[in-house]
Amino acid sequence: MEIQVIQADITTLKVNAIVNAANSSLLGGGGVDGAIHRKGGSEILEACKKIRAQQGKCNTGEAVITTAGKLPSEYVIHTVGPVWNAGGKNKEELLANCYKNSLDLAIEHNIKTIAFPNISTGIYKFPKQLAAEIAIKTVATYKHKDTIDELYFCCFDQENYEIYHKLMADENLNID
Ligand code: AR6
């Protein structure tokens, strides 16, 4: 797996799958979730509604997969990050689960290229530095990482971009 840090709007990326920082309703919201549903069109919401009808809401740390509708990617993997509130170890584990469960789904669907947003670091207020450390560590130690060719950490705000850039340089984690 090659890990790359980029600064972009995730809805513009032509990868097999983009990951959405959703909420447990799976029915859309603000932030990156809002952008994905807006640009991807109603097909994504219809697919999310079907999943809701089958399994109910999506719990924190879990992930589901849908079409990407009109977006340039093929799939959207929707995962629900933890709300930070007062924090705690459990929140760290739940955030790591978002990355792990999204990658598990990617592998099940033979996805080779995937882009993650900085899950929970917007409206859910997870501290950015800690979230980046968890994200990088989780994907770098993921047991099936060789099954994925390219993984993008798609940063939107400058602060996250700088944090990821520095961590990747410090830890020299560009693993093939
Ligand atoms: N492309 C890439 N990253 C983006 C984009 C974009 N177009 N837009 C925002 N970000 P957030 P959360 C970044 O708030 O904290 C929604 O209402 C943003 O800069 O989207 O997990 C859901 O429905 C930040 O770094 O998600 C939930 O209710 C990161 O995406 C709730 O927000 C995550 O910010 C989830 O909150």
Side-chain angles (χ1 to χ4, degrees):
M1 177 198 283
E2 192 188 338
I3 302 174
Q4 290 193 51
V5 177
I6 56 170
Q7 189 170 23
D9 175 347
I10 205 164
T11 62
T12 64
L13 299 182
K14 206 171 167 180
V15 285
N16 296 143
I18 61 169
V19 177
N20 181 18
N23 62 59
S24 59
S25 81
L26 295 175
L27 301 180
V32 69
D33 194 12
I36 286 171
H37 280 280
R38 214 164 35 246
K39 294 193 188 164
S42 58
E43 244 188 293
I44 300 178
L45 185 60
E46 289 313 313
C48 286
K49 283 183 180 163
K50 276 200 189 123
I51 292 169
R52 284 267 332 214
Q54 283 161 6
Q55 68 159 55
K57 69 187 177 88
C58 183
N59 291 325
T60 304
E62 291 179 2
V64 301
I65 189 165
T66 68
T67 171
K70 288 187 257 171
L71 295 174
S73 58
E74 293 160 48
Y75 296 99
V76 175
I77 295 173
H78 308 260
T79 188
V80 182
V83 180
W84 178 252
N85 280 339
K89 268 265 175 265
N90 181 42
K91 303 287 169 79
E92 298 178 28
E93 203 175 306
L94 289 170
L95 185 62
N97 289 346
C98 289
Y99 288 89
K100 269 190 231 134
N101 289 326
S102 296
L103 287 172
D104 283 349
L105 269 183
I107 282 170
E108 270 172 41
H109 288 79
N110 203 26
I111 284 160
K112 297 290 173 193
T113 58
I114 184 166
F116 281 92
N118 309 133
I119 301 164
S120 282
T121 67
I123 292 160
Y124 283 177
K125 298 225 158 33
F126 205 104
K128 290 179 180 176
Q129 176 74 30
L130 180 58
E133 287 168 9
I134 292 166
I136 292 172
K137 188 171 146 220
T138 305
V139 308
T141 58
Y142 180 65
K143 57 183 184 304
H144 305 302
K145 67 173 190 288
D146 293 337
T147 314
I148 308 269
D149 293 337
E150 280 172 37
L151 184 148
Y152 297 91
F153 284 119
C154 178
C155 304
F156 195 60
D157 56 279
Q158 186 69 20
E159 192 187 351
N160 262 317
Y161 180 66
E162 281 166 15
I163 288 170
Y164 270 80
H165 222 266
K166 187 160 189 309
L167 276 173
M168 293 289 292
D170 284 354
E171 299 182 21
N172 197 17
L173 275 172
N174 264 311
I175 324 147
D176 285 315

